[in-house]
Amino acid sequence: MAPERLTAQDAQYLYIERPNQHMHVGGLCILDPSTRPDGRLRFEDVAAVITSRLHLVPRFRQKVVFVPGNVGRPVWVDDTGFDVDFHLRRAALPAPGGRRELADYVQRVVSRPLDRSKPLWEIYVIEGLEDGLVAALSKVHHCMIDGMGGVDIATVMFDFSPEPQVLAPQPWSPGPKPSRAELLRDAVKDQAVNPVSALVSAARSVAAAPARAAGGLGQVASGVL
């Protein structure tokens, strides 16, 4: 995919992130393998389904790149070193695998920041739950997910019918990473074409959620020449 500039609202979630205030969202689902013919759900099964569907959510193979000097909002670019094994994690709970053990594990995962040098998502397949259950924990940065983005993750992870749909993985070749000079040139061009767009979008974000957004408005505005 061609590089795409983050909206002001999405960029603010990066700007206002702090070591004690992570701007990712998480989701946990509990799966019952007893409905499968063999009564099992292996990590490899889940990984195969998710890998076969990555082309449905192209953003999952893109990472954030900041413009030198912060003269423009960051851009989404293809991750030329994308490795799905980094984003799909396998874990197991200690016995007895009850709610306390699951909650302890989830809070440890959610309390860690995402690696900004890679696409901003992780999915954990958690085994060892009591009654033979399996959990799936997703963690995605808020800059790449909103109400509709949540539907995208559901599309990747779940089927809407009892029969699983394992698609044929689509070939993918990442686009080249833009150079520093290209990032600067495109940022300046973007601001020259529409210099107030970032401020207008950011102002709308502040109006919608002032307590959360106000801290990032100054940094969004700093990208406007």
Side-chain angles (χ1 to χ4, degrees), residues 46-106:
V46 179
V49 170
I50 294 174
T51 301
S52 74
R53 299 178 179 183
L54 285 176
H55 63 281
L56 301 176
V57 191
R59 191 72 79 212
F60 272 34
R61 288 190 175 116
Q62 291 191 309
K63 63 181 181 179
V64 172
V65 174
F66 287 84
V67 177
N70 195 32
V71 299
R73 284 173 279 121
V75 296
W76 294 108
V77 301
D78 288 347
D79 181 9
T80 57
F82 178 76
D83 181 4
V84 70
D85 291 334
F86 176 85
H87 299 276
L88 297 179
R89 314 283 182 89
R90 184 178 190 176
L93 298 182
R99 290 189 176 185
R100 179 181 296 275
E101 289 77 22
L102 179 60
D104 287 345
Y105 182 80
V106 169

Side-chain angles (χ1 to χ4, degrees), residues 186-218:
D186 291 344
V188 171
K189 179 180 178 181
D190 184 58
Q191 300 298 349
V193 171
N194 196 348
V196 298
S197 61
L199 281 178
V200 171
S201 180
R204 289 173 178 168
S205 299
V206 172
R212 183 170 56 183
L217 178 57

Side-chain angles (χ1 to χ4, degrees), residues 18-62:
R18 299 291 183 267
N20 62 345
Q21 183 182 2
H22 302 149
M23 296 307 297
H24 54 249
V25 295
L28 179 70
C29 62
I30 308 297
L31 308 174
D32 183 2
S34 67
T35 59
R36 289 171 56 88
D38 60 0
R40 300 177 57 202
L41 180 62
R42 303 175 303 163
F43 170 78
E44 292 80 7
D45 298 327
V46 179
V49 170
I50 294 174
T51 301
S52 74
R53 299 178 179 183
L54 285 176
H55 63 281
L56 301 176
V57 191
R59 191 72 79 212
F60 272 34
R61 288 190 175 116
Q62 291 191 309

